[in-house]
Amino acid sequence: RKESSAASDVYKRQSRRCMRRAPRAARGAQHLGLLSKGDVIVKTPADFIGAHLGHSERQTAAILEQAKGSVLVIDEAYGLVSAGGGAAGSAANAFGAAVIDTLVATVQGVPGDDRCVLLLGYSQQMEVMLREANPGLARRFQLSEAFTFADFSDDELCQVLRGKASAGGWQLPREALEAGIAVLAKERMRPNFGNGSAVANLLSAAVQRFEQRHAHLAPAARAALKALGAVDFDPVSYTHLTLPTTPYV
């Protein structure tokens, strides 16, 4: 099939993993003669929604034409319908419905289409969209064929945290690294865990706490300190420096 669908299992930021793999998949499709160009084009619903009636259809048609020979990725695709479900009602929903209708009319999945379309998003919202929008959308993008992406493991989160800290010039002693992973493991148990973005948010908060803890120092002395502490990642649990015993190596 020239047209496919992808809905992330739970977390939208895992769509980044799909995007990282999309160029390789596009080149493979081009090598097999399924796509003429093998480029990857990433869009969000905002790129399709127009400002007035008829504009959304034209915008969508233009994007689909641009995607000829390529892989078109629509991230957070559920944004084409309202938060309450359905693609009808308000003016914004009417514009979203126009986009979906245009997609259904154009994306046929027949030989010669020379286009691959991926829909990415939270599984629950994607299910609502496919259930309540134009029925043709669910026939073209079947949830039973969707790709799913598991949450990052502790080891994967550890690698991401180390990489982001190193890129920012920060050092992570064992205690700080384990404190960060422990916080992320708790967050992972809640809905909408962000994987890489959760790591970035945690590291940003840790850096802010680090800066606050050393605000009394002169700028030069503060700039020389680059080792984050466990208390920066988890100020509640590590106020008294109760450290984990199993190191990440």
Side-chain angles (χ1 to χ4, degrees):
R1 287 174 59 88
K2 298 294 181 67
E3 312 291 348
S4 0
S5 67
S8 67
D9 188 28
V10 178
Y11 311 114
K12 70 180 180 180
R13 294 305 178 192
Q14 292 170 354
S15 66
R16 292 179 177 176
R17 184 183 298 185
C18 178
M19 291 183 194
R20 289 197 297 269
R21 295 174 178 174
R24 183 170 57 185
R27 290 192 296 270
Q30 181 189 25
H31 180 72
L32 293 173
L34 300 176
L35 295 175
S36 58
K37 293 191 294 187
D39 297 333
V40 177
I41 299 171
V42 180
K43 300 290 184 180
T44 66
D47 298 313
F48 293 85
I49 302 297
H52 50 77
L53 291 177
H55 192 200
S56 297
E57 293 90 333
R58 290 194 295 273
Q59 295 243 111
T60 304
I63 291 173
L64 290 172
E65 182 62 29
Q66 177 192 3
K68 274 285 191 179
S70 306
V71 174
L72 172 62
V73 177
I74 306 178
D75 194 20
E76 302 181 29
Y78 50 80
L80 293 172
V81 298
S82 69
S90 69
N93 290 340
F95 295 155
V99 172
I100 291 174
D101 291 345
T102 305
L103 287 171
V104 170
T106 307
V107 177
Q108 298 293 329
V110 297
D113 274 0
D114 193 22
R115 183 190 298 111
C116 174
V117 180
L118 305 181
L119 304 183
L120 276 62
Y122 293 110
S123 60
Q124 183 175 359
Q125 286 92 328
M126 294 294 287
E127 290 170 6
V128 171
M129 179 183 75
L130 293 173
R131 183 174 63 248
E132 300 187 3
N134 185 321
L137 192 68
R139 291 195 294 271
R140 287 160 178 76
F141 299 90
Q142 300 177 20
L143 278 174
S144 61
E145 301 297 326
F147 305 115
T148 60
F149 299 91
D151 294 337
F152 287 176
S153 66
D154 284 359
D155 287 341
E156 289 173 319
L157 291 172
C158 183
Q159 293 176 20
V160 175
L161 180 55
R162 277 176 164 167
K164 289 184 178 295
S166 177
W170 296 100
Q171 301 170 11
L172 291 179
R174 174 183 64 84
E175 295 84 359
L177 182 60
E178 292 188 352
I181 298 304
V183 171
L184 291 168
K186 291 178 182 178
E187 290 185 8
R188 190 174 52 202
M189 299 172 64
R190 307 189 189 105
N192 302 336
F193 178 63
N195 284 321
S197 63
V199 174
N201 292 338
L202 177 66
L203 182 60
S204 177
V207 170
Q208 291 181 11
R209 294 189 189 102
F210 176 91
E211 296 289 353
Q212 291 170 359
R213 286 199 300 116
H214 297 91
H216 63 284
L217 298 177
R222 191 164 63 244
L225 297 175
K226 288 297 182 181
L228 297 174
V231 68
D232 297 318
F233 288 96
D234 189 352
V236 175
S237 300
Y238 286 85
T239 298
H240 301 292
L241 297 181
T242 302
L243 306 179
T245 57
T246 303
Y248 283 85
V249 295

